[in-house]
Amino acid sequence: MIKTVVSEWRGCVRLLIAQTGRWVRSCVGMRPPVKPLTASLVLAASLFTAASAGAAPTLTVIHDFTGSDGNEPDALIQASDGNFYGTTYLGIGTVFQVTPSGQFKTVFSLPPQNPNRFFYGDYFTSVVEGSDGLLYVTARGSNSNPNPMLFRITKSGTQFKVVLQEAPNSLSVASDGNFYGSDGNGIFRLTTGGTYTLLSSATGSGFTVDSLNKQATDGNFYGTCYSSAWHVCQVTTSGQVTPIFTFPTGSNVLIPANGTLTEGRDGLLYGVAAGGPYGTSFQEVYQLSPSGNFSELYQLGACTPKTGCSMALPASDGNLWIADPPQDTVYSITTGGALLQTVSFSSQPNHYAHPQVLIQASSGILYGTTGEPNPSAGDLGSVFSINAGLPPK
Protein backbone atom coordinates (compact mmCIF):
# COMPACT_ATOMS: atom_id res chain seq x y z
CA MET A 1 0.00 0.00 0.00
CA ILE A 2 1.30 3.42 -0.96
CA LYS A 3 -0.30 6.49 0.53
CA THR A 4 0.14 10.01 -0.84
CA VAL A 5 -0.15 12.98 1.52
CA VAL A 6 0.14 16.57 0.37
CA SER A 7 1.41 19.10 2.91
CA GLU A 8 0.98 22.86 2.78
CA TRP A 9 4.23 23.36 4.72
CA ARG A 10 6.32 25.76 2.58
CA GLY A 11 4.83 24.32 -0.59
CA CYS A 12 6.24 20.82 -0.02
CA VAL A 13 4.84 17.53 -1.23
CA ARG A 14 5.14 14.80 1.42
CA LEU A 15 4.59 11.13 0.66
CA LEU A 16 4.44 8.24 3.09
CA ILE A 17 5.67 4.95 1.63
CA ALA A 18 3.97 2.33 3.75
CA GLN A 19 6.45 -0.45 3.02
CA THR A 20 9.29 1.50 4.61
CA GLY A 21 7.38 3.79 6.95
CA ARG A 22 9.50 6.73 5.73
CA TRP A 23 8.43 10.10 4.49
CA VAL A 24 9.70 11.38 1.15
CA ARG A 25 9.61 15.16 0.77
CA SER A 26 10.00 17.23 -2.37
CA CYS A 27 10.22 21.01 -2.12
CA VAL A 28 11.39 23.91 -4.25
CA GLY A 29 12.39 26.87 -2.10
CA MET A 30 11.39 30.37 -3.21
CA ARG A 31 9.30 28.96 -6.09
CA PRO A 32 5.61 28.07 -6.54
CA PRO A 33 4.54 24.81 -4.83
CA VAL A 34 5.17 21.69 -6.88
CA LYS A 35 2.30 19.53 -8.05
CA PRO A 36 1.45 16.48 -5.89
CA LEU A 37 3.25 13.33 -6.95
CA THR A 38 0.94 10.55 -8.03
CA ALA A 39 0.87 7.06 -6.56
CA SER A 40 1.97 5.67 -9.91
CA LEU A 41 5.15 7.73 -9.78
CA VAL A 42 5.87 6.50 -6.27
CA LEU A 43 5.22 2.91 -7.39
CA ALA A 44 7.64 3.39 -10.28
CA ALA A 45 10.23 4.67 -7.81
CA SER A 46 9.66 1.60 -5.65
CA LEU A 47 10.16 -0.73 -8.61
CA PHE A 48 13.34 1.14 -9.53
CA THR A 49 14.52 0.73 -5.95
CA ALA A 50 13.97 -3.03 -6.01
CA ALA A 51 15.75 -3.39 -9.34
CA SER A 52 18.69 -1.23 -8.27
CA ALA A 53 19.36 -2.75 -4.88
CA GLY A 54 21.38 -5.74 -6.15
CA ALA A 55 23.47 -7.72 -3.68
CA ALA A 56 23.25 -6.68 -0.05
CA PRO A 57 26.07 -4.33 1.04
CA THR A 58 28.71 -5.91 3.28
CA LEU A 59 29.36 -4.14 6.60
CA THR A 60 32.79 -4.76 8.19
CA VAL A 61 33.92 -3.36 11.54
CA ILE A 62 37.64 -2.66 11.05
CA HIS A 63 38.59 -1.42 14.50
CA ASP A 64 36.88 -1.00 17.85
CA PHE A 65 38.44 1.73 20.02
CA THR A 66 39.28 0.77 23.58
CA GLY A 67 40.40 4.10 25.08
CA SER A 68 44.12 3.41 25.14
CA ASP A 69 44.13 4.03 21.37
CA GLY A 70 41.76 7.00 21.56
CA ASN A 71 38.09 7.61 22.09
CA GLU A 72 35.39 8.93 19.74
CA PRO A 73 36.80 9.10 16.16
CA ASP A 74 35.54 12.31 14.60
CA ALA A 75 37.38 12.69 11.27
CA LEU A 76 38.44 10.42 8.41
CA ILE A 77 40.15 11.10 5.07
CA GLN A 78 41.82 9.06 2.34
CA ALA A 79 45.27 10.48 1.68
CA SER A 80 47.40 10.43 -1.45
CA ASP A 81 49.19 7.24 -0.31
CA GLY A 82 45.87 5.38 -0.47
CA ASN A 83 45.62 4.95 3.29
CA PHE A 84 42.98 6.43 5.56
CA TYR A 85 43.78 8.80 8.42
CA GLY A 86 41.54 9.99 11.22
CA THR A 87 41.52 11.61 14.64
CA THR A 88 40.01 10.85 18.04
CA TYR A 89 39.09 13.57 20.47
CA LEU A 90 38.33 12.02 23.88
CA GLY A 91 40.48 10.16 26.36
CA ILE A 92 43.77 10.85 24.62
CA GLY A 93 43.98 12.60 21.28
CA THR A 94 45.30 10.33 18.54
CA VAL A 95 45.88 10.29 14.80
CA PHE A 96 45.28 6.81 13.39
CA GLN A 97 45.86 5.05 10.07
CA VAL A 98 43.74 2.39 8.37
CA THR A 99 45.03 0.64 5.24
CA PRO A 100 42.68 -0.41 2.40
CA SER A 101 43.18 -4.01 3.56
CA GLY A 102 41.84 -3.06 7.00
CA GLN A 103 45.00 -2.86 9.09
CA PHE A 104 44.79 -0.28 11.91
CA LYS A 105 47.54 1.50 13.79
CA THR A 106 48.00 4.66 15.85
CA VAL A 107 50.57 6.95 14.23
CA PHE A 108 50.48 9.81 16.74
CA SER A 109 49.20 10.23 20.27
CA LEU A 110 49.47 12.83 22.99
CA PRO A 111 52.54 12.71 25.24
CA PRO A 112 52.15 11.31 28.78
CA GLN A 113 50.12 13.66 30.95
CA ASN A 114 52.04 16.07 33.12
CA PRO A 115 51.48 19.72 34.05
CA ASN A 116 54.12 20.92 31.61
CA ARG A 117 53.15 19.06 28.48
CA PHE A 118 52.07 21.29 25.64
CA PHE A 119 48.90 19.34 24.78
CA TYR A 120 47.50 19.05 28.29
CA GLY A 121 43.71 19.24 28.08
CA ASP A 122 43.60 19.32 24.26
CA TYR A 123 41.61 17.15 21.87
CA PHE A 124 41.79 16.63 18.10
CA THR A 125 38.88 17.49 15.80
CA SER A 126 40.02 17.16 12.17
CA VAL A 127 42.81 16.09 9.84
CA VAL A 128 43.57 17.44 6.34
CA GLU A 129 46.33 16.42 3.94
CA GLY A 130 48.30 19.35 2.62
CA SER A 131 49.69 19.75 -0.89
CA ASP A 132 53.06 18.86 0.66
CA GLY A 133 51.78 15.41 1.63
CA LEU A 134 51.83 16.17 5.38
CA LEU A 135 48.89 15.79 7.75
CA TYR A 136 47.50 18.97 9.32
CA VAL A 137 45.61 18.30 12.54
CA THR A 138 43.36 20.72 14.43
CA ALA A 139 43.56 20.58 18.23
CA ARG A 140 41.18 22.43 20.53
CA GLY A 141 41.67 23.19 24.20
CA SER A 142 39.67 22.29 27.28
CA ASN A 143 38.18 24.97 29.52
CA SER A 144 40.91 24.49 32.10
CA ASN A 145 43.86 24.76 29.77
CA PRO A 146 43.01 25.99 26.27
CA ASN A 147 45.78 25.35 23.75
CA PRO A 148 43.96 25.55 20.41
CA MET A 149 46.30 25.07 17.49
CA LEU A 150 46.93 23.60 14.07
CA PHE A 151 49.92 21.26 13.91
CA ARG A 152 51.41 19.10 11.19
CA ILE A 153 53.04 15.69 11.16
CA THR A 154 54.28 13.22 8.59
CA LYS A 155 52.10 10.19 7.84
CA SER A 156 54.35 8.15 10.09
CA GLY A 157 53.52 10.54 12.94
CA THR A 158 56.97 12.14 13.19
CA GLN A 159 58.33 15.67 12.62
CA PHE A 160 55.70 17.42 14.70
CA LYS A 161 55.42 21.18 14.20
CA VAL A 162 52.87 23.78 15.34
CA VAL A 163 51.63 25.80 12.34
CA LEU A 164 49.03 28.07 13.96
CA GLN A 165 48.45 28.98 17.59
CA GLU A 166 44.73 29.18 16.92
CA ALA A 167 42.42 26.33 15.94
CA PRO A 168 40.52 27.07 12.70
CA ASN A 169 36.79 26.41 12.48
CA SER A 170 37.46 24.72 9.16
CA LEU A 171 40.32 24.10 6.77
CA SER A 172 40.42 23.04 3.11
CA VAL A 173 43.07 22.71 0.41
CA ALA A 174 42.58 24.58 -2.88
CA SER A 175 43.89 23.86 -6.36
CA ASP A 176 46.62 26.49 -5.87
CA GLY A 177 48.17 24.32 -3.13
CA ASN A 178 47.24 26.66 -0.29
CA PHE A 179 44.85 26.12 2.61
CA TYR A 180 41.76 28.26 2.97
CA GLY A 181 39.79 28.34 6.16
CA SER A 182 37.74 30.23 8.70
CA ASP A 183 38.53 31.13 12.28
CA GLY A 184 37.56 33.72 14.87
CA ASN A 185 39.14 36.46 12.76
CA GLY A 186 37.42 35.66 9.45
CA ILE A 187 38.53 33.97 6.21
CA PHE A 188 42.23 33.23 5.84
CA ARG A 189 44.77 31.71 3.46
CA LEU A 190 47.60 29.58 4.82
CA THR A 191 50.64 28.32 2.94
CA THR A 192 52.31 25.00 3.75
CA GLY A 193 55.23 27.13 4.92
CA GLY A 194 53.02 28.58 7.65
CA THR A 195 52.31 32.05 6.21
CA TYR A 196 48.89 33.18 7.45
CA THR A 197 47.00 35.89 5.52
CA LEU A 198 43.64 37.22 6.69
CA LEU A 199 41.60 37.72 3.50
CA SER A 200 38.45 39.17 5.05
CA SER A 201 37.35 39.85 8.61
CA ALA A 202 34.19 38.47 10.18
CA THR A 203 33.25 41.94 11.37
CA GLY A 204 33.71 43.33 7.87
CA SER A 205 31.63 40.69 6.11
CA GLY A 206 29.05 40.42 8.87
CA PHE A 207 29.14 36.61 8.71
CA THR A 208 30.73 34.03 10.96
CA VAL A 209 31.64 31.12 8.70
CA ASP A 210 31.20 27.90 10.65
CA SER A 211 32.43 25.48 7.97
CA LEU A 212 34.35 25.66 4.71
CA ASN A 213 34.15 22.42 2.76
CA LYS A 214 36.17 21.03 -0.15
CA GLN A 215 36.71 23.46 -3.02
CA ALA A 216 33.89 23.10 -5.56
CA THR A 217 34.35 22.68 -9.30
CA ASP A 218 33.55 26.38 -9.82
CA GLY A 219 36.62 27.27 -7.75
CA ASN A 220 34.69 28.54 -4.74
CA PHE A 221 34.09 27.11 -1.27
CA TYR A 222 30.65 26.58 0.22
CA GLY A 223 29.75 26.20 3.86
CA THR A 224 27.39 27.16 6.63
CA CYS A 225 27.57 30.62 8.13
CA TYR A 226 25.65 32.76 10.61
CA SER A 227 24.49 36.36 10.83
CA SER A 228 21.21 36.75 12.79
CA ALA A 229 20.09 33.57 10.93
CA TRP A 230 21.75 30.49 9.48
CA HIS A 231 22.83 30.59 5.84
CA VAL A 232 24.82 28.70 3.24
CA CYS A 233 27.61 31.01 2.09
CA GLN A 234 29.86 31.05 -0.93
CA VAL A 235 33.47 31.95 -0.14
CA THR A 236 35.92 32.92 -2.89
CA THR A 237 39.69 32.47 -2.77
CA SER A 238 39.92 36.25 -2.30
CA GLY A 239 37.89 35.92 0.91
CA GLN A 240 34.58 37.35 -0.27
CA VAL A 241 31.66 35.87 1.69
CA THR A 242 28.23 35.84 0.00
CA PRO A 243 25.09 34.17 1.40
CA ILE A 244 23.31 32.13 -1.29
CA PHE A 245 20.55 30.65 0.87
CA THR A 246 18.92 31.55 4.19
CA PHE A 247 17.43 28.76 6.28
CA PRO A 248 13.83 29.39 7.41
CA THR A 249 13.27 30.74 10.91
CA GLY A 250 10.21 30.79 13.16
CA SER A 251 8.01 27.82 13.98
CA ASN A 252 9.21 25.84 10.95
CA VAL A 253 12.89 26.57 11.48
CA LEU A 254 15.63 24.69 9.64
CA ILE A 255 19.11 24.64 11.19
CA PRO A 256 22.23 23.10 9.61
CA ALA A 257 22.61 19.73 11.32
CA ASN A 258 26.38 19.85 10.86
CA GLY A 259 28.88 21.74 8.76
CA THR A 260 29.16 19.08 6.07
CA LEU A 261 28.11 20.33 2.64
CA THR A 262 29.29 18.12 -0.25
CA GLU A 263 29.25 18.70 -4.00
CA GLY A 264 27.81 15.93 -6.18
CA ARG A 265 28.78 14.99 -9.72
CA ASP A 266 25.82 17.04 -10.88
CA GLY A 267 27.47 20.21 -9.50
CA LEU A 268 24.82 20.56 -6.79
CA LEU A 269 25.46 20.75 -3.05
CA TYR A 270 24.02 18.28 -0.54
CA GLY A 271 23.61 18.58 3.22
CA VAL A 272 21.37 17.87 6.20
CA ALA A 273 19.35 20.31 8.31
CA ALA A 274 17.41 19.81 11.55
CA GLY A 275 13.85 21.13 11.48
CA GLY A 276 10.62 21.72 13.32
CA PRO A 277 10.17 23.77 16.51
CA TYR A 278 13.63 24.51 17.92
CA GLY A 279 15.08 22.24 15.22
CA THR A 280 14.34 19.09 17.24
CA SER A 281 11.51 17.36 15.32
CA PHE A 282 13.19 15.88 12.24
CA GLN A 283 16.14 16.04 9.85
CA GLU A 284 15.96 16.93 6.16
CA VAL A 285 18.38 15.90 3.44
CA TYR A 286 18.53 18.88 1.09
CA GLN A 287 19.91 19.83 -2.32
CA LEU A 288 21.21 23.30 -3.12
CA SER A 289 22.50 24.80 -6.35
CA PRO A 290 25.41 27.29 -6.27
CA SER A 291 22.86 29.96 -7.22
CA GLY A 292 20.75 29.16 -4.13
CA ASN A 293 17.99 26.97 -5.57
CA PHE A 294 16.91 24.82 -2.60
CA SER A 295 15.07 21.47 -2.56
CA GLU A 296 14.30 19.19 0.37
CA LEU A 297 14.75 15.59 -0.68
CA TYR A 298 14.11 13.29 2.25
CA GLN A 299 13.01 13.42 5.86
CA LEU A 300 14.39 11.32 8.72
CA GLY A 301 14.12 11.24 12.51
CA ALA A 302 15.36 13.92 14.85
CA CYS A 303 18.99 14.03 15.98
CA THR A 304 20.18 14.50 19.56
CA PRO A 305 23.41 15.47 21.33
CA LYS A 306 23.76 11.81 22.36
CA THR A 307 23.62 10.31 18.88
CA GLY A 308 24.74 13.21 16.67
CA CYS A 309 23.20 14.34 13.39
CA SER A 310 23.25 12.85 9.90
CA MET A 311 25.49 13.66 6.93
CA ALA A 312 24.93 13.19 3.19
CA LEU A 313 27.62 11.84 0.84
CA PRO A 314 27.23 12.01 -2.97
CA ALA A 315 28.81 8.76 -4.18
CA SER A 316 30.16 7.39 -7.46
CA ASP A 317 26.88 5.62 -8.27
CA GLY A 318 25.21 9.02 -8.63
CA ASN A 319 23.18 8.53 -5.45
CA LEU A 320 23.39 9.94 -1.92
CA TRP A 321 24.58 7.78 0.95
CA ILE A 322 23.40 8.98 4.35
CA ALA A 323 24.98 8.26 7.73
CA ASP A 324 22.01 8.42 10.10
CA PRO A 325 23.24 7.98 13.71
CA PRO A 326 19.84 8.21 15.47
CA GLN A 327 18.56 5.25 13.45
CA ASP A 328 21.87 3.30 13.58
CA THR A 329 21.72 3.18 9.78
CA VAL A 330 23.57 4.03 6.58
CA TYR A 331 21.23 4.20 3.61
CA SER A 332 21.17 5.50 0.05
CA ILE A 333 18.64 7.59 -1.81
CA THR A 334 18.47 8.96 -5.32
CA THR A 335 19.01 12.67 -5.85
CA GLY A 336 15.26 12.75 -6.39
CA GLY A 337 14.60 11.41 -2.89
CA ALA A 338 13.74 7.73 -3.52
CA LEU A 339 15.02 5.19 -0.99
CA LEU A 340 17.38 2.58 -2.46
CA GLN A 341 19.39 0.57 0.07
CA THR A 342 19.62 0.35 3.85
CA VAL A 343 22.56 -0.89 5.92
CA SER A 344 21.53 -1.40 9.54
CA PHE A 345 23.99 -1.27 12.44
CA SER A 346 21.35 -2.39 14.95
CA SER A 347 22.73 -5.93 15.20
CA GLN A 348 26.16 -4.60 16.21
CA PRO A 349 27.22 -3.95 19.83
CA ASN A 350 26.33 -0.48 21.07
CA HIS A 351 29.67 1.13 20.28
CA TYR A 352 29.32 0.15 16.61
CA ALA A 353 25.84 1.52 16.35
CA HIS A 354 25.90 5.25 15.53
CA PRO A 355 27.57 6.05 12.16
CA GLN A 356 28.93 9.61 12.28
CA VAL A 357 31.42 10.15 9.42
CA LEU A 358 31.09 8.64 5.95
CA ILE A 359 33.54 8.94 3.02
CA GLN A 360 34.07 7.05 -0.23
CA ALA A 361 37.46 5.59 -1.13
CA SER A 362 38.92 5.67 -4.63
CA SER A 363 38.02 1.96 -4.86
CA GLY A 364 34.32 2.80 -4.42
CA ILE A 365 34.10 1.23 -0.95
CA LEU A 366 32.57 3.38 1.79
CA TYR A 367 34.45 3.98 5.04
CA GLY A 368 33.26 5.67 8.19
CA THR A 369 33.33 6.02 11.95
CA THR A 370 30.80 5.39 14.70
CA GLY A 371 30.40 6.62 18.25
CA GLU A 372 28.37 8.91 20.45
CA PRO A 373 29.26 12.60 20.78
CA ASN A 374 28.07 12.54 24.41
CA PRO A 375 31.06 11.40 26.54
CA SER A 376 28.77 10.20 29.36
CA ALA A 377 27.44 7.46 27.06
CA GLY A 378 30.67 5.50 27.45
CA ASP A 379 30.65 4.61 23.73
CA LEU A 380 34.23 4.69 22.41
CA GLY A 381 33.44 4.26 18.71
CA SER A 382 34.78 2.26 15.78
CA VAL A 383 35.98 2.42 12.16
CA PHE A 384 33.94 0.49 9.58
CA SER A 385 33.68 -0.15 5.84
CA ILE A 386 30.69 -0.88 3.61
CA ASN A 387 31.18 -2.66 0.30
CA ALA A 388 28.04 -1.86 -1.69
CA GLY A 389 29.50 -2.68 -5.10
CA LEU A 390 29.83 0.98 -6.03
CA PRO A 391 32.08 1.91 -8.98
CA PRO A 392 35.50 3.47 -8.31
CA LYS A 393 35.59 7.22 -7.92
Side-chain angles (χ1 to χ4, degrees):
M1 175 181 174
I2 299 175
K3 183 179 180 182
T4 303
V5 180
V6 179
S7 169
E8 295 297 328
W9 186 63
R10 299 206 308 276
C12 297
V13 176
R14 305 177 70 230
L15 302 105
L16 176 63
I17 301 179
Q19 291 96 322
T20 64
R22 288 186 178 271
W23 287 98
V24 177
R25 181 188 298 273
S26 178
C27 306
V28 182
M30 307 301 184
R31 292 187 291 183
V34 296
K35 295 180 180 180
L37 297 178
T38 65
S40 61
L41 288 177
V42 178
L43 177 59
S46 299
L47 294 174
F48 173 77
T49 296
S52 302
T58 302
L59 169 64
T60 302
V61 176
I62 297 172
H63 181 75
D64 176 16
F65 288 91
T66 63
S68 61
D69 53 359
N71 185 336
E72 301 300 333
D74 59 348
L76 192 68
I77 64 169
Q78 185 175 31
S80 57
D81 63 357
N83 296 317
F84 304 90
Y85 296 87
T87 57
T88 63
Y89 75 97
L90 287 181
I92 57 172
T94 66
V95 179
F96 61 84
Q97 178 199 78
V98 174
T99 68
S101 62
Q103 295 177 318
F104 175 95
K105 69 176 180 180
T106 300
V107 298
F108 182 85
S109 60
L110 298 180
Q113 291 193 21
N114 65 72
N116 298 316
R117 77 180 178 90
F118 192 67
F119 280 99
Y120 186 76
D122 289 344
Y123 51 97
F124 301 164
T125 59
S126 70
V127 57
V128 179
E129 182 182 23
S131 58
D132 54 4
L134 301 178
L135 302 178
Y136 289 73
V137 181
T138 298
R140 298 189 181 279
S142 68
N143 292 331
S144 60
N145 189 11
N147 287 317
M149 72 185 78
L150 178 73
F151 69 91
R152 73 184 183 198
I153 55 174
T154 62
K155 294 185 177 72
S156 62
T158 60
Q159 300 181 27
F160 165 86
K161 181 179 180 180
V162 175
V163 179
L164 288 178
Q165 292 286 1
E166 181 175 353
N169 297 331
S170 59
L171 191 70
S172 185
V173 182
S175 56
D176 62 5
N178 295 314
F179 295 101
Y180 291 82
S182 61
D183 58 17
N185 300 314
I187 305 299
F188 66 86
R189 180 178 61 239
L190 178 70
T191 68
T192 54
T195 301
Y196 174 99
T197 303
L198 184 64
L199 300 175
S200 63
S201 68
T203 54
S205 69
F207 293 94
T208 299
V209 178
D210 181 63
S211 66
L212 201 64
N213 290 279
K214 182 179 178 181
Q215 188 178 31
T217 52
D218 63 4
N220 298 310
F221 301 93
Y222 294 87
T224 55
C225 57
Y226 188 83
S227 176
S228 72
W230 281 102
H231 313 266
V232 171
C233 280
Q234 177 197 79
V235 180
T236 68
T237 53
S238 64
Q240 181 177 347
V241 180
T242 305
I244 63 170
F245 176 77
T246 301
F247 288 95
T249 58
S251 59
N252 288 321
V253 64
L254 278 179
I255 302 170
N258 53 56
T260 304
L261 195 62
T262 313
E263 183 182 32
R265 290 189 170 189
D266 53 10
L268 301 176
L269 307 170
Y270 294 89
V272 178
Y278 308 106
T280 58
S281 298
F282 56 84
Q283 297 177 85
E284 290 280 1
V285 180
Y286 66 86
Q287 177 192 82
L288 184 69
S289 72
S291 61
N293 223 353
F294 181 89
S295 296
E296 292 168 318
L297 301 179
Y298 201 83
Q299 185 180 123
L300 43 149
C303 56
T304 68
K306 179 179 179 181
T307 59
C309 295
S310 301
M311 66 160 290
L313 171 71
S316 60
D317 61 351
N319 298 311
L320 304 178
W321 285 79
I322 316 297
D324 184 10
Q327 300 300 317
D328 299 340
T329 299
V330 170
Y331 61 94
S332 65
I333 63 174
T334 68
T335 54
L339 178 65
L340 294 176
Q341 299 189 73
T342 300
V343 181
S344 176
F345 287 64
S346 59
S347 63
Q348 302 294 326
N350 182 50
H351 47 277
Y352 299 157
H354 305 303
Q356 302 285 342
V357 177
L358 191 66
I359 66 171
Q360 186 176 29
S362 57
S363 64
I365 297 175
L366 304 173
Y367 289 79
T369 65
T370 70
E372 288 186 350
N374 185 355
S376 64
D379 181 357
L380 305 187
S382 69
V383 180
F384 66 86
S385 68
I386 296 175
N387 188 344
L390 304 186
K393 289 177 62 178

